[in-house]
Amino acid sequence: MRIFVTGASGWIGRALVPDLIEAGHQVVGLARSEASAAALTAAGAEAVRGTVDDLDVLAGAAAASDGVIHLAFKHDIAFSGSFQEAAEADRRAVDALAEPLVGTDRPFVLASGLAGLKPGRVATEQDMPTVEDGSAFSIRAATSLAVLDYASRGVRSSVVRLSPTCHGDGDKGFMATLVATARAKGVSGYLGDGANRWPAVHRLDAARLFRLAVEKAPAGAVLHGVAEEGVAIRDVAEVIGRGLDVPVAPVAPDEAAGHFTWMSAFIGLDAPASNTQTRELLGWQPTGPGLLEDLAKGHYFQGS
């Protein structure tokens, strides 16, 4: 298949592109810069210059493809206080990408998230997000539901809900941020008793799931990019503390914003999730190291 990938030079995209090519697919990647375009070309993909705001570019590339994987999201502005703006831009991009596929039965795969789906209990692929509060998170949840609705319009659409942490060497997301915070504050912190759990998945396993989804996920499928159902945040904090040789301690709720900054909205989430239905549907078997094992390898603690 000729597959158009947004976010192709991003964290998961850099693992997904070679996986797709190795499986015999032709990859066209969206590139925001000359450097990204050069990296995609070097990886064996074709580059299309543009951003997720260039809706005509997205629509044209989608129309010329046999399938689309949408990984891109404006994380840079989302995590600097403009999550709603990023979520609204994502919805516009999704419609631009999906509309050319209507009535074709071609696949469209969306990267979405698991954080906050069903707090306090193990979320399954059957669970649907709440979209009634009008928040930025609600907007992104509504986008995932809109993608599933395209299944009724002749698109083989599916949603991959990713774990809050998609870890690995080179990660600059949540785990890297917790390490940087612990280094800067001189303490590896957690909220409350730290028993709240995050699901986790290694980057290479996540990339393989996206390939399987574009190849064979049925229309309307919800998939969980989860290798570990739930890792206690206190356990994460303890490995970080050992890695940096700093103490491990709870952070009071009224001090969370000052300590964790933007991460304070996420650090206390209890968001375990199952992958049973995903594995059974696609034959996906995560093989990468677990989160604590990956942290213990030390690559998160290199540098300043």
Side-chain angles (χ1 to χ4, degrees):
M1 289 192 291
R2 177 182 171 90
I3 301 173
F4 179 49
V5 181
T6 71
S9 59
W11 172 234
I12 296 175
R14 293 197 304 274
L16 173 61
V17 168
D19 192 59
L20 287 169
I21 292 173
E22 185 176 348
H25 301 295
Q26 179 185 0
V27 178
V28 180
L30 185 68
R32 293 189 300 172
S33 66
E34 288 293 344
S36 293
L40 286 170
T41 301
E46 177 185 336
V48 171
R49 285 297 306 274
T51 73
V52 292
D53 293 320
D54 296 321
L55 303 184
D56 289 343
V57 172
L58 299 183
S65 73
D66 298 312
V68 175
I69 300 175
H70 180 42
L71 300 177
F73 189 76
K74 290 185 170 183
H75 291 100
D76 51 345
I77 67 170
F79 295 144
S80 62
S82 300
F83 194 95
Q84 181 152 346
E85 180 183 345
E88 290 171 348
D90 189 52
R91 177 57 188 270
R92 292 190 294 270
V94 161
D95 287 335
L97 291 163
E99 284 295 333
L101 305 181
V102 169
T104 68
D105 291 320
R106 296 176 190 169
F108 178 84
V109 185
L110 173 73
S112 189
L114 272 166
L117 179 62
K118 292 293 176 182
R121 72 167 179 81
V122 178
T124 75
E125 293 89 339
Q126 300 286 336
D127 290 315
M128 290 294 122
T130 300
V131 296
E132 299 174 354
D133 61 5
S135 68
F137 291 100
S138 180
I139 293 171
R140 196 172 192 197
T143 298
S144 70
L145 295 179
V147 167
L148 297 177
D149 285 343
Y150 273 103
S152 66
R153 300 177 61 196
V155 180
R156 184 162 63 81
S157 60
S158 61
V159 172
V160 175
R161 295 172 178 162
L162 285 168
S163 300
T165 178
C166 182
H167 56 89
D169 194 356
D171 175 19
K172 299 186 186 304
F174 284 141
M175 288 302 111
T177 300
L178 286 177
V179 170
T181 299
R183 180 180 280 118
K185 301 291 185 178
V187 60
S188 181
Y190 54 89
L191 288 184
D193 62 4
N196 61 296
R197 300 151 292 173
W198 282 14
V201 65
H202 191 273
R203 171 201 187 206
L204 297 180
D205 288 323
R208 189 165 64 256
L209 177 57
F210 278 100
R211 173 174 61 79
L212 292 172
V214 79
E215 289 176 341
K216 59 182 181 179
V222 174
L223 309 166
H224 277 186
V226 172
E228 295 177 281
E229 187 173 281
V231 181
I233 293 300
R234 177 166 184 165
D235 292 340
V236 170
E238 289 176 347
V239 176
I240 292 174
R242 289 195 296 271
L244 295 177
D245 194 23
V246 298
V248 179
V251 175
D254 60 354
E255 297 176 358
H259 185 92
F260 294 108
T261 64
W262 63 265
M263 275 280 288
S264 62
F266 301 93
I267 191 64
L269 287 176
D270 187 40
S274 169
N275 68 7
T276 300
Q277 295 171 38
T278 299
R279 288 188 292 105
E280 291 175 350
L281 184 64
L282 298 182
W284 177 62
Q285 294 294 335
T287 59
L291 176 57
L292 301 182
E293 178 187 354
D294 203 12
L295 282 168
K297 289 182 176 182
H299 53 80
Y300 276 97
F301 311 120
Q302 296 172 0
S304 58

Short mmCIF file of all heavy atoms in Angstrom, two decimals, residues 147-191:
data_model
loop_
_atom_site.label_atom_id
_atom_site.label_comp_id
_atom_site.label_asym_id
_atom_site.label_seq_id
_atom_site.Cartn_x
_atom_site.Cartn_y
_atom_site.Cartn_z
N VAL A 147 -13.70 9.92 14.14
CA VAL A 147 -12.98 8.99 13.28
C VAL A 147 -13.71 7.65 13.21
O VAL A 147 -13.87 7.06 12.13
CB VAL A 147 -11.53 8.80 13.77
CG1 VAL A 147 -10.86 7.61 13.08
CG2 VAL A 147 -10.73 10.07 13.53
N LEU A 148 -14.19 7.17 14.34
CA LEU A 148 -14.94 5.91 14.33
C LEU A 148 -16.22 6.04 13.52
O LEU A 148 -16.64 5.09 12.86
CB LEU A 148 -15.24 5.48 15.77
CG LEU A 148 -14.02 5.18 16.65
CD1 LEU A 148 -14.47 4.83 18.06
CD2 LEU A 148 -13.18 4.05 16.05
N ASP A 149 -16.82 7.21 13.54
CA ASP A 149 -18.05 7.43 12.77
C ASP A 149 -17.81 7.34 11.27
O ASP A 149 -18.74 7.02 10.50
CB ASP A 149 -18.66 8.79 13.11
CG ASP A 149 -19.35 8.80 14.47
OD1 ASP A 149 -19.64 7.72 15.00
OD2 ASP A 149 -19.59 9.91 14.99
N TYR A 150 -16.58 7.61 10.84
CA TYR A 150 -16.29 7.50 9.41
C TYR A 150 -16.44 6.06 8.91
O TYR A 150 -16.56 5.83 7.70
CB TYR A 150 -14.88 8.01 9.11
CG TYR A 150 -14.81 9.50 8.85
CD1 TYR A 150 -14.35 10.38 9.83
CD2 TYR A 150 -15.20 10.03 7.63
CE1 TYR A 150 -14.28 11.75 9.60
CE2 TYR A 150 -15.14 11.40 7.38
CZ TYR A 150 -14.68 12.26 8.38
OH TYR A 150 -14.63 13.60 8.14
N ALA A 151 -16.46 5.11 9.81
CA ALA A 151 -16.65 3.71 9.41
C ALA A 151 -18.01 3.52 8.73
O ALA A 151 -18.16 2.67 7.85
CB ALA A 151 -16.54 2.79 10.62
N SER A 152 -18.99 4.32 9.13
CA SER A 152 -20.33 4.22 8.53
C SER A 152 -20.40 4.91 7.18
O SER A 152 -21.42 4.83 6.48
CB SER A 152 -21.38 4.82 9.47
OG SER A 152 -21.18 6.22 9.61
N ARG A 153 -19.29 5.58 6.81
CA ARG A 153 -19.26 6.30 5.53
C ARG A 153 -18.25 5.68 4.55
O ARG A 153 -17.79 6.32 3.64
CB ARG A 153 -18.91 7.78 5.78
CG ARG A 153 -19.91 8.49 6.69
CD ARG A 153 -19.48 9.91 6.95
NE ARG A 153 -19.42 10.67 5.70
CZ ARG A 153 -18.79 11.85 5.58
NH1 ARG A 153 -18.17 12.37 6.64
NH2 ARG A 153 -18.77 12.49 4.42
N GLY A 154 -17.95 4.43 4.78
CA GLY A 154 -17.09 3.73 3.83
C GLY A 154 -15.61 3.97 4.02
O GLY A 154 -14.83 3.88 3.07
N VAL A 155 -15.19 4.25 5.25
CA VAL A 155 -13.77 4.37 5.57
C VAL A 155 -13.43 3.26 6.57
O VAL A 155 -14.17 3.05 7.53
CB VAL A 155 -13.42 5.74 6.19
CG1 VAL A 155 -11.93 5.83 6.51
CG2 VAL A 155 -13.84 6.88 5.26
N ARG A 156 -12.35 2.55 6.34
CA ARG A 156 -11.92 1.52 7.31
C ARG A 156 -11.14 2.22 8.42
O ARG A 156 -9.94 2.14 8.53
CB ARG A 156 -11.09 0.43 6.62
CG ARG A 156 -10.70 -0.70 7.58
CD ARG A 156 -10.27 -1.96 6.86
NE ARG A 156 -9.09 -1.81 6.05
CZ ARG A 156 -7.83 -1.83 6.50
NH1 ARG A 156 -7.59 -1.97 7.80
NH2 ARG A 156 -6.81 -1.72 5.66
N SER A 157 -11.89 2.93 9.24
CA SER A 157 -11.27 3.78 10.26
C SER A 157 -11.06 3.03 11.57
O SER A 157 -11.85 2.15 11.93
CB SER A 157 -12.14 5.01 10.52
OG SER A 157 -13.43 4.63 10.97
N SER A 158 -9.98 3.38 12.26
CA SER A 158 -9.69 2.80 13.57
C SER A 158 -8.94 3.82 14.40
O SER A 158 -8.36 4.77 13.88
CB SER A 158 -8.87 1.51 13.45
OG SER A 158 -7.63 1.75 12.82
N VAL A 159 -8.98 3.62 15.71
CA VAL A 159 -8.32 4.52 16.65
C VAL A 159 -7.38 3.71 17.53
O VAL A 159 -7.79 2.70 18.11
CB VAL A 159 -9.35 5.26 17.53
CG1 VAL A 159 -8.65 6.05 18.63
CG2 VAL A 159 -10.21 6.19 16.69
N VAL A 160 -6.13 4.14 17.60
CA VAL A 160 -5.16 3.55 18.52
C VAL A 160 -5.02 4.48 19.71
O VAL A 160 -4.53 5.59 19.59
CB VAL A 160 -3.79 3.35 17.85
CG1 VAL A 160 -2.78 2.83 18.88
CG2 VAL A 160 -3.89 2.37 16.69
N ARG A 161 -5.51 4.03 20.87
CA ARG A 161 -5.37 4.81 22.09
C ARG A 161 -4.02 4.46 22.72
O ARG A 161 -3.81 3.33 23.17
CB ARG A 161 -6.48 4.48 23.07
CG ARG A 161 -7.88 4.86 22.62
CD ARG A 161 -8.87 4.27 23.62
NE ARG A 161 -10.26 4.59 23.32
CZ ARG A 161 -11.28 3.93 23.83
NH1 ARG A 161 -11.06 2.89 24.66
NH2 ARG A 161 -12.51 4.26 23.53
N LEU A 162 -3.14 5.42 22.75
CA LEU A 162 -1.81 5.18 23.26
C LEU A 162 -1.72 5.37 24.76
O LEU A 162 -2.39 6.24 25.35
CB LEU A 162 -0.81 6.12 22.58
CG LEU A 162 -0.44 5.79 21.13
CD1 LEU A 162 0.31 6.96 20.50
CD2 LEU A 162 0.40 4.52 21.08
N SER A 163 -0.86 4.58 25.39
CA SER A 163 -0.54 4.76 26.80
C SER A 163 0.03 6.16 27.03
O SER A 163 0.65 6.74 26.13
CB SER A 163 0.49 3.72 27.24
OG SER A 163 0.02 2.42 27.06
N PRO A 164 -0.16 6.71 28.24
CA PRO A 164 0.42 8.02 28.53
C PRO A 164 1.93 8.06 28.29
O PRO A 164 2.46 9.08 27.86
CB PRO A 164 0.09 8.25 30.00
CG PRO A 164 -1.10 7.40 30.25
CD PRO A 164 -0.95 6.20 29.36
N THR A 165 2.60 6.95 28.56
CA THR A 165 4.02 6.92 28.28
C THR A 165 4.33 5.88 27.21
O THR A 165 4.03 4.71 27.35
CB THR A 165 4.87 6.65 29.54
OG1 THR A 165 6.25 6.58 29.19
CG2 THR A 165 4.45 5.37 30.24
N CYS A 166 4.88 6.37 26.11
CA CYS A 166 5.39 5.53 25.03
C CYS A 166 6.90 5.68 25.12
O CYS A 166 7.48 6.64 24.60
CB CYS A 166 4.84 6.02 23.70
SG CYS A 166 5.33 5.03 22.29
N HIS A 167 7.54 4.76 25.80
CA HIS A 167 8.91 4.96 26.26
C HIS A 167 9.94 4.34 25.34
O HIS A 167 9.61 3.54 24.45
CB HIS A 167 9.07 4.42 27.68
CG HIS A 167 8.69 2.96 27.82
ND1 HIS A 167 9.60 1.95 27.63
CD2 HIS A 167 7.50 2.36 28.12
CE1 HIS A 167 8.99 0.78 27.82
NE2 HIS A 167 7.72 1.00 28.12
N GLY A 168 11.20 4.69 25.58
CA GLY A 168 12.30 4.16 24.80
C GLY A 168 13.46 5.14 24.78
O GLY A 168 13.34 6.29 25.24
N ASP A 169 14.59 4.70 24.26
CA ASP A 169 15.78 5.54 24.19
C ASP A 169 15.53 6.70 23.23
O ASP A 169 15.21 6.49 22.06
CB ASP A 169 16.97 4.71 23.70
CG ASP A 169 18.30 5.41 23.91
OD1 ASP A 169 18.30 6.57 24.36
OD2 ASP A 169 19.34 4.79 23.61
N GLY A 170 15.64 7.92 23.72
CA GLY A 170 15.36 9.10 22.91
C GLY A 170 14.04 9.76 23.24
O GLY A 170 13.71 10.82 22.69
N ASP A 171 13.28 9.16 24.14
CA ASP A 171 11.99 9.71 24.56
C ASP A 171 12.15 11.11 25.13
O ASP A 171 13.04 11.37 25.94
CB ASP A 171 11.40 8.77 25.62
CG ASP A 171 10.10 9.27 26.23
OD1 ASP A 171 9.45 10.14 25.63
OD2 ASP A 171 9.74 8.76 27.31
N LYS A 172 11.28 12.03 24.71
CA LYS A 172 11.26 13.38 25.26
C LYS A 172 9.89 13.71 25.86
O LYS A 172 9.55 14.88 26.04
CB LYS A 172 11.63 14.40 24.18
CG LYS A 172 13.02 14.19 23.59
CD LYS A 172 13.40 15.30 22.63
CE LYS A 172 14.72 15.01 21.92
NZ LYS A 172 15.82 14.77 22.84
N GLY A 173 9.12 12.67 26.15
CA GLY A 173 7.77 12.86 26.66
C GLY A 173 7.68 12.84 28.18
O GLY A 173 8.53 13.39 28.88
N PHE A 174 6.65 12.16 28.70
CA PHE A 174 6.36 12.21 30.13
C PHE A 174 7.51 11.71 30.99
O PHE A 174 7.87 12.31 32.00
CB PHE A 174 5.10 11.38 30.43
CG PHE A 174 3.82 12.05 30.04
CD1 PHE A 174 2.79 11.32 29.48
CD2 PHE A 174 3.62 13.41 30.25
CE1 PHE A 174 1.58 11.92 29.12
CE2 PHE A 174 2.43 14.03 29.90
CZ PHE A 174 1.41 13.28 29.33
N MET A 175 8.10 10.56 30.64
CA MET A 175 9.17 10.02 31.47
C MET A 175 10.38 10.93 31.48
O MET A 175 10.99 11.18 32.53
CB MET A 175 9.55 8.61 31.00
CG MET A 175 8.53 7.56 31.30
SD MET A 175 8.14 7.40 33.08
CE MET A 175 6.45 8.03 33.11
N ALA A 176 10.74 11.44 30.32
CA ALA A 176 11.88 12.36 30.26
C ALA A 176 11.60 13.62 31.08
O ALA A 176 12.50 14.17 31.73
CB ALA A 176 12.18 12.72 28.80
N THR A 177 10.35 14.07 31.07
CA THR A 177 9.98 15.25 31.84
C THR A 177 10.07 14.98 33.34
O THR A 177 10.54 15.82 34.11
CB THR A 177 8.56 15.71 31.47
OG1 THR A 177 8.52 16.02 30.08
CG2 THR A 177 8.16 16.93 32.27
N LEU A 178 9.63 13.79 33.77
CA LEU A 178 9.74 13.45 35.19
C LEU A 178 11.20 13.37 35.63
O LEU A 178 11.55 13.79 36.73
CB LEU A 178 9.03 12.12 35.46
CG LEU A 178 7.50 12.15 35.47
CD1 LEU A 178 6.95 10.75 35.68
CD2 LEU A 178 6.98 13.10 36.55
N VAL A 179 12.04 12.83 34.77
CA VAL A 179 13.47 12.77 35.08
C VAL A 179 14.04 14.18 35.18
O VAL A 179 14.79 14.50 36.13
CB VAL A 179 14.22 11.95 34.01
CG1 VAL A 179 15.74 12.10 34.19
CG2 VAL A 179 13.83 10.48 34.08
N ALA A 180 13.70 15.04 34.23
CA ALA A 180 14.22 16.41 34.25
C ALA A 180 13.72 17.16 35.49
O ALA A 180 14.48 17.94 36.10
CB ALA A 180 13.78 17.14 32.98
N THR A 181 12.47 16.92 35.88
CA THR A 181 11.92 17.57 37.07
C THR A 181 12.65 17.11 38.32
O THR A 181 13.01 17.91 39.20
CB THR A 181 10.42 17.28 37.19
OG1 THR A 181 9.75 17.80 36.04
CG2 THR A 181 9.84 17.91 38.44
N ALA A 182 12.87 15.80 38.43
CA ALA A 182 13.58 15.26 39.59
C ALA A 182 15.00 15.81 39.67
O ALA A 182 15.50 16.12 40.76
CB ALA A 182 13.59 13.73 39.53
N ARG A 183 15.65 15.93 38.53
CA ARG A 183 17.01 16.47 38.51
C ARG A 183 17.01 17.94 38.96
O ARG A 183 17.85 18.37 39.75
CB ARG A 183 17.60 16.34 37.10
CG ARG A 183 19.02 16.88 36.98
CD ARG A 183 19.56 16.72 35.57
NE ARG A 183 20.05 15.36 35.33
CZ ARG A 183 19.55 14.54 34.42
NH1 ARG A 183 18.53 14.92 33.65
NH2 ARG A 183 20.06 13.34 34.26
N ALA A 184 16.05 18.71 38.45
CA ALA A 184 16.00 20.13 38.77
C ALA A 184 15.59 20.40 40.22
O ALA A 184 16.12 21.31 40.87
CB ALA A 184 15.02 20.84 37.83
N LYS A 185 14.67 19.60 40.76
CA LYS A 185 14.15 19.81 42.11
C LYS A 185 14.99 19.10 43.17
O LYS A 185 14.85 19.39 44.37
CB LYS A 185 12.71 19.32 42.20
CG LYS A 185 11.74 20.01 41.24
CD LYS A 185 11.51 21.46 41.60
CE LYS A 185 10.45 22.08 40.72
NZ LYS A 185 10.17 23.49 41.07
N GLY A 186 15.81 18.14 42.74
CA GLY A 186 16.61 17.40 43.70
C GLY A 186 15.83 16.36 44.46
O GLY A 186 16.29 15.84 45.49
N VAL A 187 14.64 16.01 43.97
CA VAL A 187 13.82 14.97 44.58
C VAL A 187 12.95 14.35 43.51
O VAL A 187 12.45 15.04 42.62
CB VAL A 187 12.95 15.55 45.73
CG1 VAL A 187 12.01 16.64 45.22
CG2 VAL A 187 12.16 14.45 46.42
N SER A 188 12.77 13.04 43.57
CA SER A 188 11.89 12.35 42.64
C SER A 188 10.54 12.20 43.31
O SER A 188 10.39 11.45 44.28
CB SER A 188 12.47 10.97 42.28
OG SER A 188 11.64 10.30 41.36
N GLY A 189 9.54 12.95 42.81
CA GLY A 189 8.28 13.05 43.52
C GLY A 189 7.14 12.28 42.90
O GLY A 189 7.18 11.87 41.74
N TYR A 190 6.09 12.11 43.70
CA TYR A 190 4.83 11.50 43.28
C TYR A 190 3.74 12.11 44.14
O TYR A 190 4.01 12.73 45.18
CB TYR A 190 4.87 9.98 43.44
CG TYR A 190 5.24 9.52 44.83
CD1 TYR A 190 4.27 9.32 45.81
CD2 TYR A 190 6.57 9.29 45.18
CE1 TYR A 190 4.60 8.91 47.10
CE2 TYR A 190 6.92 8.88 46.46
CZ TYR A 190 5.94 8.70 47.41
OH TYR A 190 6.28 8.31 48.68
N LEU A 191 2.50 11.97 43.75
CA LEU A 191 1.38 12.52 44.51
C LEU A 191 0.77 11.45 45.41
O LEU A 191 0.72 10.27 45.04
CB LEU A 191 0.29 13.05 43.58
CG LEU A 191 0.59 14.35 42.82
CD1 LEU A 191 -0.64 14.77 42.03
CD2 LEU A 191 1.01 15.46 43.76
#
